Amino acid sequence: METYTYLRQFADSWGLLFMTLFFIGVVIFAFRPGSREQADEAARIPLKDD
């Protein structure tokens, strides 16, 4: 089996599954309870005076 064919089949199956699980994890992390305060604080960092 050629390397390209093997990598293509891997990306089509397991790669897609990994990217889907990663996306779901990021969404859960972003919308978890208590993340709004941290996001608001991070958004104000550039506006803070030294």
Side-chain angles (χ1 to χ4, degrees), residues 4-19:
Y4 173 77
T5 306
Y6 174 74
L7 291 176
R8 173 69 188 263
Q9 288 176 349
F10 178 79
D12 285 346
S13 58
W14 292 106
L16 179 61
L17 177 65
F18 173 75
M19 287 188 290

